[in-house]
Amino acid sequence: MATRTPGDALAHPLAGSAAKRVPGRGHTRSAVLFLAPFGLLFTAMLLAPIGYAVYQSFFRTRRSGLGLGPSTTVFAGFDNYVTALHDSRFMSSFLRVFTLGIVQVPVMLGLALLLALLLDSRGAVFKKFFRQIYFLPYALPGVIAAIMWSFLYAPSVSPFTAALRHIGLEVNFLSDDLVLASIGNMMTWAWTGFNMLIIYSALQAIPGELTEAAVMDGCSGWRVAWHVKIPAVRPALILTTVFSIIGTAQLFNEPAVLSQVAPTVSPTYTPILATQQSADINNYNYAATQSVILALLTFVLSFGFLKFTQRKGTFA
């Protein structure tokens, strides 16, 4: 009978019944089968439209005979991008949305953080009730909410305008000076509850030992919130900021509805509205170019903010 020596075990580490088996091709095929439906949908619904928009942005449609003749599609290179970057109305829409985001996003996230801290405080009562009330505006469809606010802003029927008129103030929320602030208020009302829920979930994950230790050291409720809770939910704050940047860049529902009652809201008031107008007049190549520019700018702003916070050590 052959005997095995310790050297044999070292020379053949996979020998014996207790040896681990290396995953075979069957495991790889199973993983591919499970991932295939998602991969197909992701490619068909996201990657393919993006690629087609980029492709269309390099072409231009020409018509002869004062626009009445047959149209031909020709390669335009970067001409559409040059035209878009020199389009004053398109560039003004970016500046308008950027100005709105600089003010509205911090205000909205500040309110969301405050509400989340209040719900997470020890003295809070009826937490489930108030959590649902805060989240309710987000559950309302965006177009329905915009229509509701258009009536609340209309000078002839607005209860806010009537209340201010009684104290001697004549305020038109749809004027050129206030319509952007009115849109910001609509966005804050709709999205504060959504962001509050994300931050509140992060607060629930904080170990109770941290807050108890801070209380035992003599920290008041607000000092616990400032020194313990807020630093612990910084990743959630960064996540909601990235979501808010993307959502603000894609602003559409509110100005589209208000344009029906506010003459100051032009068809090119936001980048998406400008893109929609180009598509409405059958200038699909230029609309594709505007879409690509908007997508690139949104990516740069959101990804740039994320990398900036990581460089500053926010996650540490």
Side-chain angles (χ1 to χ4, degrees):
M1 178 181 296
T3 59
R4 295 175 57 87
T5 63
D8 295 332
L10 293 175
H12 303 282
L14 297 181
S17 58
K20 296 182 179 180
R21 294 186 177 181
V22 180
R25 295 182 178 179
H27 296 277
T28 303
R29 292 177 180 176
S30 300
V32 171
L33 289 176
F34 277 109
L35 293 175
F38 168 78
L40 291 175
L41 289 175
F42 183 78
T43 301
M45 300 300 174
L46 185 64
L47 296 183
I50 292 176
Y52 186 69
V54 173
Y55 172 78
Q56 288 293 328
S57 67
F58 291 107
F59 291 87
R60 177 177 295 175
T61 300
R62 291 181 179 176
R63 292 179 174 85
S64 58
L66 299 178
L68 301 178
S71 60
T72 57
T73 301
V74 297
F75 181 75
F78 289 96
D79 290 349
N80 289 330
Y81 290 92
V82 174
T83 302
L85 295 177
H86 287 83
D87 189 342
S88 60
R89 294 181 300 176
F90 186 53
M91 290 294 102
S92 297
S93 68
F94 277 107
L95 180 61
R96 191 177 296 114
V97 170
F98 180 78
T99 303
L100 174 64
I102 287 294
V103 178
Q104 185 268 336
V105 171
V107 171
M108 176 182 62
L109 295 183
L111 289 174
L113 176 61
L114 177 61
L115 294 176
L117 290 173
L118 291 175
L119 284 178
D120 191 62
S121 62
R122 293 188 174 185
V125 294
F126 305 113
K127 292 185 179 182
K128 292 183 179 180
F129 172 77
F130 284 106
R131 186 168 66 242
Q132 293 176 356
I133 291 298
Y134 297 152
F135 185 74
L136 185 61
Y138 173 76
L140 192 67
V143 175
I144 301 301
I147 294 175
M148 178 192 71
W149 278 104
S150 67
F151 282 101
L152 293 176
Y153 285 148
S156 58
V157 296
S158 172
F160 306 131
T161 302
L164 293 173
R165 190 179 294 119
H166 282 300
I167 61 176
L169 296 177
E170 192 66 33
V171 179
N172 182 6
F173 294 100
L174 299 179
S175 63
D176 188 39
D177 296 331
L178 293 179
V179 67
L180 190 61
S182 300
I183 293 175
N185 176 67
M186 296 166 63
M187 296 171 60
T188 303
W189 179 83
W191 289 94
T192 298
F194 172 81
N195 294 301
M196 178 275 301
L197 196 61
I198 295 178
I199 299 172
Y200 180 72
S201 300
L203 287 172
Q204 295 297 295
I206 299 176
E209 294 82 1
L210 292 178
T211 56
E212 292 177 1
V215 172
M216 292 179 63
D217 288 339
C219 292
S220 61
W222 287 111
R223 291 187 64 186
V224 171
W226 182 258
H227 294 288
V228 177
K229 293 184 178 181
I230 294 179
V233 299
R234 282 179 179 176
L237 291 174
I238 293 174
L239 177 66
T240 52
T241 302
V242 172
F243 285 167
S244 300
I245 292 174
I246 297 173
T248 303
Q250 298 177 353
L251 180 62
F252 178 80
N253 288 335
E254 290 82 0
V257 173
L258 287 184
S259 63
Q260 306 300 316
V261 295
T264 56
V265 179
S266 64
T268 60
Y269 197 77
T270 65
I272 287 188
L273 284 176
T275 303
Q276 183 67 44
Q277 186 193 43
S278 299
D280 290 340
I281 60 177
N282 298 328
N283 195 352
Y284 298 112
N285 301 111
Y286 189 58
T289 303
Q290 293 173 310
S291 300
V292 172
I293 294 176
L294 176 59
L296 288 175
L297 182 61
T298 304
F299 173 80
V300 169
L301 290 176
S302 56
F303 187 74
F305 173 80
L306 184 60
K307 297 299 293 184
F308 174 78
T309 54
Q310 290 177 340
R311 181 177 299 178
K312 291 296 183 180
T314 308
F315 286 106

